[in-house]
Amino acid sequence: MKEAQLNNQTNETSRRGVSKAALVGASSLVTLALCGAASAAERGGGETIVTAAAIAAPAAEQAQEPQPGGATVVDEVLVTGLRGSLQRNLDIKRNAEGVVDAISAEDIGKFPDSNVAASLQRLPGVSIQRAGPRGEPQGITVRGFSGDFNETLYDGRRISTATGGRSVDFSTVGADFVGGLSVLKTPDVSLSSSSIGATINVQFPKPFDRPGRRMAFTASGSVQDDAGKVVPTVGALFSDTFADDKFGVLVDAMYTRHDTQTNRVFVSGWPGGYYRPCQLTPSCTDAQLNDPAGKTVLGWFEQQSGATQVYTKDERVDGRIALQWSPTEGVTVTLDDNYSRQNVRADNFGYGIWFNQDNLRNVKLDQNGTTVDFTQAGSQTDFTAGTDHNILQTNQTGLNLKWDVSENLKFEADASYAKSWLNPDGGVSSDNADVGYGFGIGPSLGISIGGDSKNTLPVLHSYGPNGDAARWADTSVIGSHVTVRQAQENTDVVKQLRFAGSWEQEGFRIKAGGSYMEDHYQIQQSNTFVNNYWQAYPGYGPASGANGGVMIPASLFTGKVSAKNFIPGFDGALPPYLLKFDAHAYQQYLTSLGNPQTQNIPGFNYGGGTVGTQFTGAFDLALDNGSIRDITEKTWSLFVRANFDVDVAGMPFHFNAGVREENTHVTANGFGQLPTEIRRNTGDPTLLTVVLSDPQAVSTKSNYSYLLPSIDMKLELTDSIHLRLDASRTLTRPGLNLLTPVLSVGTGQRVGALTGSGGSPALKPYLADNFDAAVEWYYQPNSYASINFFIKDVSNFIVGGTQRQTINGVIDPSTGQAALFSVTQQVNGPEATVRGVELAWQHVFGDSGFGFNGNVTLVDTNKPYDRTDISQSGFAITGLADSANLVAFYDKNGFEARFAVNYRKEYLRAFGQNQNTGAFGSEPTFENPSLQIDFSTSYALTKQVNLFFEALNLTNETQSTHGRFDNQLLDVFAYGRRYTAGARFRF
């Protein structure tokens, strides 16, 4: 009966913004619910629920509509489970004014994925970046634009992030109690225009979304197959309304832990430069080495090569409270607070071997100039260990007032304060130990590159003391080298105010308002480079024949880890095993040797600058003045947006036009220091100390204004076929961490690898003109197909150029010539165009329970990266890659199963490598193609209890990157599979 009433009113309600597909789907589900309610209640599946209001995100809600003849339908039909979520996502997409994709919670406390970024990658045009050692989805790319090009909001407010960029680390966002996600690929000028990729709005549930009491609990255990330890996740949500639904409270809290053991093989950088022709032979004469014009052979070489095993413990606590009050009809006051604290500790051990291009012999180059084999006499072999410990804490408090003065006139005011801390306790964030052997017993070691970085590891040859491979990790000859400790402290405070008023009448809506945003970012670092304490005991000790260093007791080495099959699916053998030891135990041993100022300690670096006269045994940190940055950005905005709904030749036509004016003022403060001298370490000739001038305070100011228009048009050719056209201008501001006003040069450096970074306080934002054209076909309930063409013309690209230059005329003691620093500086540069197409298809096979959701994104640019152009310095669009996603599912009778496949082609991830000292600017980092298959399933044991299981990375894929050419491996991570099982309880 209800189905007939709804179908008779399809045309009228579609003009009011309610889709025919949604109504037909709702009517079918009502019928299904009424017919099967008894059996569903008996089984407790909870697949279909008729309810007065949705628990999904507000964007998915639909108001009650009166029907002719006095008939009235229920306010909403809520379908829990995957199919219900997909239908709500479809409705949001269909009814949106611009190009929007969405993800809704399947049920209270049940988001489709355990990570927000993992869910987002199911959408057309969205791909993810993973945190290598953890394997966690960390960032997203939308239509080829990654990181800072995308803006993330919490309920329409920008969240602070102490990392210094604009992007949010999605591994810090707990997904379990998220209500929904909206990805706005075309801007809403009343919300923001500060993203060239997309605006991601994370929507949290509130008590008035569904009046009454509701509770949800979740508990699970997860295990990563290499870590082998089951770790918990627990959470709870409570929501209730009181006083005739005039007051409501919602509270939730979540604890999540992930342990991951990851194997990593790395080459820290592939600097480009020139060899002497004699280096292609076993030896060079003094005359050849001293010939200033002797370097004529182009090549790229491995700066440092090694392997590590990392065990990461990732703990996150999320908490949220939302209070709502409706003192009178039409007025709603919301006060909420969002809190998160992520504590990540990573312990690692492995080896790393350093190479200097001038010392290489027997060099073999391929046709691209990649060094595929060489030897280096007297090579040092370093065994490393470290602990990285970082805490990222964020708290955002907001107050929102909505006042519906009348049916036509509405006002909204919003204020929020957010603060984020990186290491709020000020503790040491990185402890590293470096021991080994070399010099007198250093082998004539080399590396062979035998294949592509997608499946081949670099192979060390002639390793071990004096080339004896059987003694590769002989603890009797291992001595001390360097000790690096760092403490990073960042804060970011974001203050926001927003006010808007709107008027609505039949076929016309207008909204206008303004906003103010202030972002204050501070950073400072302390380390053992500044006081030179990192070089307290370098030189590898007596067994290596050096003047410095002490022997390390064998008792400090606690085990050996086999390197056999270290990276699954890769050819190329590593040395037989890794030595396991602890960085803190190493530091404590060196400290136990005593105070070198009150007693003579053989092997201490008495000639090493400040370390020789000030070090008293403890590896204390000193403040690095060059790292201090204090950046304040203030932005005032005004906007107006108008919507018109009319008929064109009998077809509904929706027109939305808006404009946003943004005015930004930036103040950047820091301390400048210039090098005055470079000293060579007497105990270890591979190390250098840069002496800096006294710090001088530097302050700069800049400002800019932009007018950002936007137009969205949608024509309903038929009830099921919609045509969209959109045009807009958007911007992306440079990361606050780039706006330092000073040139920064580190005090602790290596021979042949002097580096610095330049200040760029006056950077202007990227600016993009965007165009979209789409056809969408909603051909049956919960099913649609679409094709979307897009073009983005981007100017003001920020280019990270690197050039070799002298600074203050200081002399490099290793060459006797003016020191050449590789200085990286960001500047606004060229323009580029990105064009692409998104294809999406979602289909449910009737009432069978089976369905799929798939999409393909193809992208291109008029200025691709030219790998052979050595004059090019760091310009191309990063993140640009074709991608495809497929989710196949079954959802019926309380049982749900889903396979998700995500593929992304090779793409340029970033400019710059861990060691970026080459002669040809910032060397690129490319990410190899990736394919990941995940599986999840759940079963409604009763109406209140749901059991679930999830398996990630079923095929045990790895993540790898390479340099300018495909065989220049940079990193490969094997982070294994992860399994999670648990239960959800809903009341």
Side-chain angles (χ1 to χ4, degrees):
M1 301 86 54
K2 288 183 172 58
E3 184 174 358
Q5 293 170 351
L6 289 170
N7 283 331
N8 288 338
Q9 296 302 316
T10 296
N11 291 334
E12 174 62 23
T13 53
S14 66
R15 295 177 189 273
R16 298 182 183 184
V18 182
S19 68
K20 178 180 177 182
L23 292 171
V24 173
S27 64
S28 301
L29 294 166
V30 170
T31 305
L32 179 61
L34 295 176
C35 294
S39 60
E42 256 178 43
R43 178 181 48 75
E47 181 184 355
T48 307
I49 302 171
V50 182
T51 164
I55 62 168
E61 295 177 355
Q62 298 196 17
Q64 176 178 325
E65 293 285 354
Q67 301 299 308
T72 303
V73 298
V74 294
D75 287 350
E76 178 157 0
V77 176
L78 173 69
V79 182
T80 62
L82 183 56
R83 284 188 294 165
S85 174
L86 291 174
Q87 180 64 56
R88 289 190 290 275
N89 302 342
L90 181 153
D91 292 339
I92 295 171
K93 180 181 182 69
R94 179 172 185 167
N95 297 326
E97 296 165 345
V99 179
V100 177
D101 288 296
I103 302 172
S104 301
E106 297 180 20
D107 198 351
I108 182 173
K110 186 184 179 185
F111 208 65
D113 295 275
S114 57
N115 180 284
V116 168
S119 280
L120 288 170
Q121 72 172 328
R122 319 298 185 201
L123 297 175
V126 182
S127 301
I128 64 172
Q129 292 89 48
R130 295 186 180 274
R134 290 184 287 147
E136 293 278 354
Q138 189 175 33
I140 67 166
T141 294
V142 182
R143 294 178 167 182
F145 290 88
S146 59
D148 290 359
F149 289 102
N150 303 303
E151 183 176 38
T152 300
L153 310 174
Y154 282 7
D155 285 327
R157 303 164 180 151
R158 214 186 82 199
I159 189 67
S160 61
T161 171
T163 58
R166 305 286 179 177
S167 61
V168 169
D169 180 351
F170 284 99
S171 71
T172 67
V173 183
D176 292 83
F177 296 133
V178 169
L181 301 172
S182 297
V183 179
L184 286 70
K185 298 176 182 176
T186 57
D188 178 351
V189 297
S190 67
L191 188 64
S192 173
S193 294
S194 299
S195 58
I196 291 177
T199 298
I200 298 93
N201 193 19
V202 181
Q203 300 151 332
F204 293 103
K206 299 176 182 63
F208 284 178
D209 292 348
R210 183 187 174 192
R213 179 172 298 175
R214 52 184 174 139
M215 293 182 288
F217 304 91
T218 182
S220 65
S222 68
V223 60
Q224 187 245 9
D225 48 11
D226 293 325
K229 182 184 293 185
V230 178
V231 293
T233 292
V234 293
L237 179 147
F238 172 83
S239 178
D240 204 354
T241 55
F242 314 92
D244 295 326
D245 297 333
K246 290 186 176 181
F247 180 79
V249 58
L250 184 149
V251 181
D252 66 57
M254 196 84 186
Y255 169 80
T256 305
R257 176 174 168 182
H258 282 169
D259 282 21
T260 308
Q261 181 174 291
T262 301
N263 292 341
R264 176 194 180 201
V265 174
F266 65 89
V267 173
S268 288
W270 285 85
Y274 290 93
Y275 289 104
R276 297 177 177 86
C278 68
Q279 291 183 260
L280 278 60
T281 69
S283 63
C284 293
T285 66
D286 290 342
Q288 290 170 322
L289 292 176
N290 294 325
D291 182 1
K295 294 185 176 183
T296 58
V297 180
L298 176 66
W300 285 263
F301 78 101
E302 303 93 323
Q303 183 82 80
Q304 185 184 35
S305 180
T308 60
Q309 186 171 96
V310 187
Y311 192 99
T312 303
K313 178 182 177 182
D314 180 356
E315 294 181 287
R316 191 181 71 242
V317 175
D318 298 287
R320 183 170 182 272
I321 183 170
L323 305 174
Q324 288 191 293
W325 178 42
S326 180
T328 184
E329 185 176 356
V331 176
T332 302
V333 181
T334 303
L335 174 66
D336 58 71
D337 187 90
N338 300 306
Y339 171 86
S340 70
R341 180 181 172 95
Q342 185 182 38
N343 189 333
V344 180
R345 177 188 171 116
D347 293 291
N348 67 84
F349 58 88
Y351 70 87
I353 301 175
W354 182 269
F355 301 103
N356 188 307
Q357 187 173 21
D358 288 343
N359 296 337
L360 306 188
R361 302 292 184 269
N362 296 306
V363 172
K364 293 182 174 58
L365 305 171
D366 68 5
Q367 65 274 17
N368 293 321
T370 298
T371 303
V372 296
D373 206 349
F374 65 87
T375 58
Q376 176 177 270
S379 294
Q380 298 86 52
T381 298
D382 289 43
F383 295 93
T384 61
T387 296
D388 295 320
H389 185 199
N390 288 285
I391 297 172
L392 184 60
Q393 180 175 311
T394 301
N395 195 81
Q396 182 186 63
T397 303
L399 180 65
N400 181 273
L401 170 64
K402 292 182 179 179
W403 180 23
D404 296 348
V405 180
S406 66
E407 184 178 346
N408 306 103
L409 181 63
K410 300 177 182 180
F411 292 101
E412 179 179 4
D414 191 272
S416 66
Y417 175 92
K419 186 170 184 178
S420 182
W421 299 261
L422 181 64
N423 301 319
D425 58 358
V428 175
S429 55
S430 181
D431 274 305
N432 291 278
D434 194 323
V435 301
Y437 55 83
F439 304 124
I441 58 174
S444 187
L445 191 148
I447 294 180
S448 297
I449 305 294
D452 194 281
S453 59
K454 294 193 295 290
N455 52 30
T456 307
L457 302 177
V459 177
L460 290 177
H461 56 76
S462 305
Y463 55 79
N466 295 315
D468 185 354
R471 299 178 61 201
W472 152 252
D474 181 354
T475 58
S476 69
V477 297
I478 293 178
S480 63
H481 188 36
V482 295
T483 303
V484 176
R485 308 186 76 209
Q486 299 179 82
Q488 185 77 48
E489 295 181 65
N490 300 2
T491 61
D492 184 40
V493 176
V494 176
K495 302 174 185 177
Q496 299 170 84
L497 294 171
R498 186 176 73 243
F499 177 80
S502 63
W503 174 269
E504 180 176 355
Q505 63 184 47
E506 187 68 27
F508 174 73
R509 299 179 300 281
I510 187 169
K511 186 175 184 179
S515 66
Y516 168 77
M517 181 179 297
E518 178 181 315
D519 195 341
H520 184 198
Y521 172 68
Q522 294 177 297
I523 175 176
Q524 69 175 35
Q525 185 186 95
S526 299
N527 54 54
T528 54
F529 291 119
V530 175
N531 52 22
N532 212 29
Y533 285 7
W534 76 303
Q535 296 184 26
Y537 290 95
Y540 303 109
S544 295
N547 295 327
V550 296
M551 301 306 297
I552 302 300
S555 60
L556 289 182
F557 301 99
T558 57
K560 298 178 181 178
V561 173
S562 173
K564 187 176 181 180
N565 300 321
F566 201 66
I567 306 291
F570 272 67
D571 297 327
L574 299 175
Y577 46 79
L578 279 59
L579 275 177
K580 189 173 184 178
F581 69 106
D582 181 75
H584 302 94
Y586 166 71
Q587 294 173 14
Q588 290 169 5
Y589 170 72
L590 295 180
T591 298
S592 72
L593 298 177
N595 183 353
Q597 309 305 326
T598 60
Q599 60 179 309
N600 180 59
I601 302 178
F604 176 71
N605 188 10
Y606 285 101
T610 55
V611 66
T613 57
Q614 298 179 13
F615 181 80
T616 59
F619 288 90
D620 298 325
L621 284 67
L623 177 64
D624 182 356
N625 291 299
S627 72
I628 297 175
R629 302 172 193 176
D630 189 317
I631 315 295
T632 301
E633 179 184 82
K634 299 179 180 180
T635 299
W636 289 263
S637 304
L638 295 173
F639 68 86
V640 61
R641 186 190 70 189
N643 300 69
F644 303 88
D645 299 326
V646 298
D647 279 354
V648 176
M651 297 178 291
F653 178 69
H654 310 278
F655 179 80
N656 167 42
V659 64
R660 186 179 182 94
E661 169 74 15
E662 296 201 345
N663 188 292
T664 300
H665 295 260
V666 178
T667 302
N669 299 308
F671 290 91
Q673 292 179 280
L674 293 176
T676 59
E677 182 186 0
I678 301 178
R679 300 172 183 172
R680 194 162 192 173
N681 190 302
T682 57
D684 188 336
T686 68
L687 304 179
L688 298 173
T689 299
V690 179
V691 180
L692 300 175
S693 63
D694 293 334
Q696 299 291 324
V698 178
S699 181
T700 64
K701 293 185 177 182
S702 62
N703 62 81
Y704 51 83
S705 298
Y706 288 97
L707 191 68
L708 306 170
S710 175
I711 297 175
D712 303 299
M713 294 177 285
K714 182 175 71 171
L715 179 64
E716 299 182 22
L717 298 176
T718 69
D719 289 340
S720 59
I721 300 177
H722 295 180
L723 172 66
R724 293 184 187 271
L725 294 173
D726 307 88
S728 64
R729 170 168 283 191
T730 56
L731 59 80
T732 288
R733 293 179 174 82
L736 294 173
N737 58 327
L738 300 180
L739 301 180
T740 175
V742 299
L743 172 68
S744 178
V745 176
T747 53
Q749 309 236 16
R750 282 182 176 269
V751 171
L754 293 169
T755 61
S757 60
S760 310
L763 286 173
K764 296 295 189 290
Y766 302 82
L767 197 64
D769 293 321
N770 315 288
F771 306 93
D772 278 77
V775 178
E776 301 166 352
W777 178 29
Y778 302 92
Y779 58 88
Q780 70 177 37
N782 219 334
S783 301
Y784 80 97
S786 69
I787 181 170
N788 190 328
F789 298 92
F790 62 88
I791 297 175
K792 294 179 178 289
D793 290 319
V794 186
S795 58
N796 281 353
F797 259 98
I798 296 174
V799 179
T802 300
Q803 60 180 0
R804 287 184 173 178
Q805 64 184 68
T806 60
I807 301 177
N808 207 29
V810 294
I811 301 300
D812 183 346
S814 65
T815 65
Q817 306 294 321
L820 287 176
F821 293 81
S822 293
V823 178
T824 301
Q825 187 173 22
Q826 309 295 320
V827 296
N828 288 111
E831 303 177 357
T833 298
V834 173
R835 47 191 175 255
V837 57
E838 295 171 351
L839 306 169
W841 186 13
Q842 177 176 304
H843 184 78
V844 173
F845 295 95
D847 193 38
S848 68
F850 289 98
F852 66 84
N853 183 356
N855 56 78
V856 175
T857 302
L858 307 174
V859 291
D860 193 12
T861 179
N862 65 332
K863 292 185 179 179
Y865 182 72
D866 184 354
R867 306 181 194 217
T868 64
D869 184 0
I870 60 176
S871 67
Q872 189 170 337
S873 182
F875 173 67
I877 298 176
T878 59
L880 208 61
D882 297 342
S883 61
N885 307 302
L886 175 65
V887 177
F889 63 85
Y890 176 82
D891 179 17
K892 192 174 183 180
N893 299 324
F895 176 73
E896 178 183 310
R898 182 184 67 165
F899 279 96
V901 183
N902 301 101
Y903 171 76
R904 189 177 188 183
K905 288 182 67 175
E906 177 184 288
Y907 66 96
L908 176 62
R909 181 165 182 163
F911 283 98
Q913 300 170 358
N914 289 339
Q915 299 289 342
N916 200 71
T917 59
F920 311 130
S922 296
E923 289 292 324
T925 296
F926 285 88
E927 181 116 5
N928 283 317
S930 62
L931 174 71
Q932 178 154 326
I933 302 175
D934 302 329
F935 171 74
S936 63
T937 185
S938 65
Y939 179 69
L941 191 64
T942 70
K943 187 175 181 180
Q944 288 80 28
V945 180
N946 185 281
L947 306 179
F948 63 90
F949 172 77
E950 180 182 64
L952 304 180
N953 193 24
L954 283 175
T955 55
N956 200 20
E957 297 295 323
T958 59
Q959 175 189 352
S960 60
T961 59
H962 67 80
R964 187 179 290 254
F965 301 107
D966 291 346
N967 58 348
Q968 295 181 356
L969 183 139
L970 288 170
D971 265 310
V972 55
F973 294 96
Y975 47 81
R977 305 174 183 88
R978 188 182 302 280
Y979 307 95
T980 302
R984 297 184 180 94
F985 307 87
R986 176 172 57 89
F987 302 94

